[in-house]
Amino acid sequence: MDEEYRVQVGGEDFRIDLLFFHRGLKCLAAFELKIGKFKPEYISKMDFYLEALDCQKKENKNPSVGMIPCASKDDEVVEHAMSRNLSPMMVAEYKLQLPDKAVLQKKLQELINMPLIKE
């Protein structure tokens, strides 16, 4: 939908790094990009954004979801930071360069050969 999406709460403007609409989930997906290590305060900021988006959403959409890609994360810190959080949110570590071409080809081949799951 937009980068640096503006959301207004209490007369103040706040900016979400990236905002998408997920057609399959029928919901907004907010991304807060972090260049450093994960910090617990990122969770409350994302919670704030998700609540603001949900207050402004149209009736036909599901609750918004959040993603916090970080340069690195400690799984135990993330677990504790999210332990009491009820918002649909995920913290992920990103890589600055792609894996070796052979590794990517192998993973792609595994996906192609994966059996379909029928609901």
Side-chain angles (χ1 to χ4, degrees):
M1 290 179 61
D2 205 356
E3 63 181 67
E4 290 206 4
Y5 182 82
R6 183 177 67 94
V7 63
Q8 195 170 52
V9 177
E12 288 187 58
D13 288 343
F14 298 90
R15 304 262 180 206
I16 300 170
D17 288 343
L18 295 169
L19 185 66
F20 298 94
F21 182 78
H22 192 291
R23 291 183 197 165
L25 297 176
K26 294 183 178 141
C27 71
L28 295 172
F31 285 73
E32 271 299 297
L33 309 172
K34 303 300 178 186
I35 60 171
K37 188 174 183 177
F38 171 80
K39 295 180 184 175
E41 54 264 30
Y42 297 161
I43 298 294
S44 60
K45 185 177 181 183
M46 180 59 78
D47 245 353
F48 175 80
Y49 289 155
L50 295 178
E51 185 63 26
L53 289 170
D54 286 347
C55 286
Q56 298 175 7
K57 73 176 183 182
K58 295 182 172 47
E59 282 78 38
N60 64 345
K61 292 182 201 165
N62 291 319
S64 302
V65 297
M67 178 77 166
I68 307 171
C70 301
S72 64
K73 66 183 175 88
D74 180 315
D75 290 335
E76 190 173 355
V77 173
V78 172
E79 185 178 329
H80 278 75
M82 295 184 69
S83 66
R84 295 178 187 239
N85 188 307
L86 300 176
S87 295
M89 189 181 322
M90 187 170 117
V91 176
E93 199 171 83
Y94 62 83
K95 305 293 181 201
L96 294 178
Q97 59 188 150
L98 289 172
D100 184 59
K101 184 177 177 179
V103 173
L104 287 175
Q105 286 177 329
K106 181 180 177 196
K107 288 196 179 282
L108 183 59
Q109 192 60 43
E110 289 171 0
L111 285 172
I112 291 171
N113 293 329
M114 186 180 294
L116 295 176
I117 299 172
K118 294 183 180 181
E119 292 184 31

